[in-house]
Amino acid sequence: MLSPRLPYWFAALLFAALLSACGSAPTVSASQTLQAPTERVQALRLVYHKVRMKTVSTTSYNPRNLSLQVGDTGIDRFGPLVVQRAPAIFAAAQVQVPQATVMEDELLTLYLLRAVQQPPQDDGPRHLLVIGPHSGRVQATSASTITSYVFLARLIDLQAKKTVWQAQIDTKAWKGTDFVMRNFEGPTYNDSYAAELLQAVLRQMQSDGLI
């Protein structure tokens, strides 16, 4: 005789497998060349813009009144992973990244002002690439958390002192939180996801003729 609990466990496992696929690789959803750069990109500085995300609205659907735990998908630790990966990723396209760093709002504003006010050094990068989350959404249930962040990449021509290109990259990560779902691994904002994000940006820059 089959256990009456078997259908529940089978359904739970199937549901978990489906949810583990809720994350997705970074995908460029839009890009735009605002102005032709003064020269093709051969070297660049990279800044990861660490944004302080704010909650603007909250919707709760919890008919069984279960405790909700928002899973950590790693977005707060993502910046250092991106800057660590950047030199090797861009080197594959013969683009040097001699400087990569993480900056928050106030410091980034000052950095950008100084970068465009001072002419680039003769042997220094002529371009600055800024990457960071622009907007996002967190969906949490009693079983899992899905975070969807839209990243914005901007290429600044330091000779023209203008943003000459920008792209929007959609990302989605998943983390199980209850005793069943946490046994399943989905995409999170980890080291491999940082590489995938940079590769998506690099491919788009190549496609748009910047490299």
Side-chain angles (χ1 to χ4, degrees), residues 119-160:
Q121 299 178 356
D122 292 339
D123 59 347
R126 300 288 198 271
H127 299 89
L128 170 64
L129 180 63
V130 181
I131 302 175
H134 175 67
S135 60
R137 182 180 183 184
V138 177
Q139 298 170 276
T141 69
S142 59
S144 64
T145 298
I146 299 173
T147 53
S148 306
Y149 287 100
V150 177
F151 279 71
L152 182 65
R154 293 182 291 148
L155 183 69
I156 300 172
D157 187 321
L158 296 176
Q159 295 183 87

Side-chain angles (χ1 to χ4, degrees), residues 6 18 30 33 50 53 74 76 78 94 131 137 198 200 203:
L6 184 60
L18 291 173
T33 300
K50 186 176 181 180
M53 305 297 283
D76 290 336
F78 195 51
Q94 308 301 314
I131 302 175
R137 182 180 183 184
L198 290 165
R203 285 193 300 268

Side-chain angles (χ1 to χ4, degrees), residues 61-72:
Y61 177 70
N62 192 17
R64 296 171 63 186
N65 198 30
L66 300 174
S67 60
L68 295 181
Q69 177 184 353
V70 178
D72 180 9

Side-chain angles (χ1 to χ4, degrees), residues 32-37 39-41 43-45 90 95 126-131 152-158 161-167 201 205 209-211:
Q32 183 180 15
T33 300
L34 305 173
Q35 176 180 314
E39 61 183 67
R40 295 173 73 89
V41 178
L44 56 81
R45 304 182 209 168
F90 280 88
V95 176
R126 300 288 198 271
H127 299 89
L128 170 64
L129 180 63
V130 181
I131 302 175
L152 182 65
R154 293 182 291 148
L155 183 69
I156 300 172
D157 187 321
L158 296 176
K161 306 183 186 302
K162 293 181 180 179
T163 297
V164 295
W165 175 86
Q166 61 186 20
V201 172
M205 292 177 68
L210 302 172
I211 297 175

